[in-house]
Amino acid sequence: METITIGLLGLGTVGQGVVTLLQKQAAKISRTQNFRFKLKRVAVRNLAHHQTAELPVGTILTDKITDVTDDPEIQIVVEAMGGVDVAKVAICQAILNKKSIISANKDLLATAGEEILQLAKTVGVDFFYEASVAGGIPILRVLSSSLETDQITQITGIINGTANYVLTAMEREQQAYATALKNAQKLGYAELNPTNDVQGIDATYKLIILSRFAFGQSLALTDIPHQGITTISPAQLASANRLGLKIKLLAVAKEVNQQLFSFVGPAAIPATEPLAHVNGVQNAIAIQSNALGETTYTGPGAGAHPTANSILSDLLVTGNNIVKGICGHEFNRYRKPAAAQSLTTVPQQYLITIEDAKIEPSVLANLCQFTWQQQVTGEHYWSGLTPVISATTLTTLLDSLKHQGQQPHYVPLSNSWQMAS
């Protein structure tokens, strides 16, 4: 039986999860595959912090990345260190040394993925990254294999567990944003610096990767309008709930007439839709396609074991390719030109909420006709769901409310877009 040697970069939550799962599943892998894995080296930043780490017998712990990337016996490098600059240098060096790569680094893949993928293709090694999107949900393989013969028209995802946990806590327990975030940090669901999660940047990176698989389109961060959840209030969540809606941080990409419209930000979802019931740190991705209609994939979006399981899945594919001598095939070969467009410019419906208003806000009837609903949960606030209106009309409406001394907040209604035919 052939032995395939692995090197690991990083021994944080994900890295330790990979080590644990490799040891736990070693016997099963040997029984079901015609090879076994050997973890030879693990590179960490600080050796003192990992002296008690439980590693397989014979595994070498080092603080030099090059001990992994330049070791001639190592055939696969698993990158679990995070970050962009150092990780990119390490991965490229490993590829040039003819090592296949497995990564969970969505920031790197979104910003430098095309460059690294081309290098791997040129050298003739594998580069897989299933764990970079939605943790334990095997969504990239679903897109690249199971749905390869279908025509995907839209992807809508709840793909950041931190933001979803915070919004769920705010709605269910009427917590302020700051309180919900602090609790998420105590539970380990949010980083000490949660900026990328709560500002929608993490979800945008993941949407960039998903769009490559679903639409064959490489979007840039600047192509996707994105905003976070920091200004969402319990009043908005409560008013949405009363109208049969749930507010979630959504990542959306929709293809129409060779144009790819995208958006990341809070949006109201009808409670009748599956995504409305995805709570806590769970992730979910709804895919609309011509042959299957809508399919929804749910599961844990992060965590040591779900993410490690996706990495192990990539390891098995790479191991088989090494044994068969067929490394170098692209994870995703789909390419299709499409013009990047903003979904925020498309006519759609909006949920508008005004807090601390004792009387009904005055709205010009010929501008936007809808009925304000008053709710009281310790404070007075009004909310209304607009008809489909243009972005220009929305701006005019908001300006008119501000001139009346009101402070309106709004979120779009998911799937209410009125696209030009």
Side-chain angles (χ1 to χ4, degrees), residues 151-344:
Q151 183 66 41
I152 296 170
T153 57
Q154 181 175 319
I155 283 184
T156 306
I158 296 173
I159 49 180
N160 184 273
T162 299
N164 202 46
Y165 175 87
V166 169
L167 290 176
T168 300
M170 289 175 66
E171 180 203 354
R172 290 182 172 178
E173 302 172 33
Q174 288 78 54
Q175 294 179 354
Y177 164 77
T179 301
L181 177 59
K182 186 175 181 179
N183 289 338
Q185 290 171 322
K186 286 181 180 177
L187 292 169
Y189 295 148
E191 301 287 346
L192 190 60
N193 180 359
T195 300
N196 278 15
D197 294 321
V198 300
Q199 294 289 1
I201 298 171
D202 174 82
T204 305
Y205 283 150
K206 293 171 182 175
L207 186 62
I208 290 171
I209 297 169
L210 286 169
S211 295
R212 289 176 184 157
F213 281 72
F215 307 106
Q217 178 73 0
S218 291
L219 297 172
L221 187 65
T222 53
D223 290 328
I224 304 176
H226 54 277
Q227 61 188 81
I229 62 169
T230 56
T231 60
I232 297 295
S233 69
Q236 286 178 277
L237 296 165
S239 64
N241 192 54
R242 182 160 177 169
L243 292 168
L245 304 167
K246 301 290 183 181
I247 295 178
K248 302 289 184 182
L249 180 70
L250 292 187
V252 184
K254 182 179 181 67
E255 185 179 28
V256 179
N257 298 329
Q258 296 185 323
Q259 298 182 91
L260 187 58
F261 293 84
S262 61
F263 159 79
V264 171
I269 311 173
T272 54
E273 295 187 11
L275 290 185
H277 304 284
V278 177
N279 296 309
V281 295
Q282 290 291 98
N283 278 197
I285 299 169
I287 298 175
Q288 293 181 6
S289 60
N290 290 342
L292 297 183
E294 182 167 310
T295 54
T296 304
Y297 306 84
T298 63
H305 294 302
T307 306
N309 189 70
S310 290
I311 288 174
L312 229 64
S313 175
D314 283 345
L315 274 169
L316 291 179
V317 175
T318 306
N320 273 298
N321 287 348
I322 289 174
V323 170
K324 295 175 183 177
I326 57 171
C327 290
H329 294 292
E330 292 182 78
F331 193 1
N332 169 51
R333 294 184 293 274
Y334 186 34
R335 300 289 187 275
K336 182 182 177 182
Q341 302 288 351
S342 170
L343 202 50
T344 61

Side-chain angles (χ1 to χ4, degrees), residues 101 140 328 406:
I101 304 295
L140 299 185
Q406 312 289 355

Side-chain angles (χ1 to χ4, degrees), residues 47-55 61:
L47 286 174
H49 290 170
H50 301 281
Q51 290 303 314
T52 60
E54 296 183 4
L55 299 175
L61 192 65

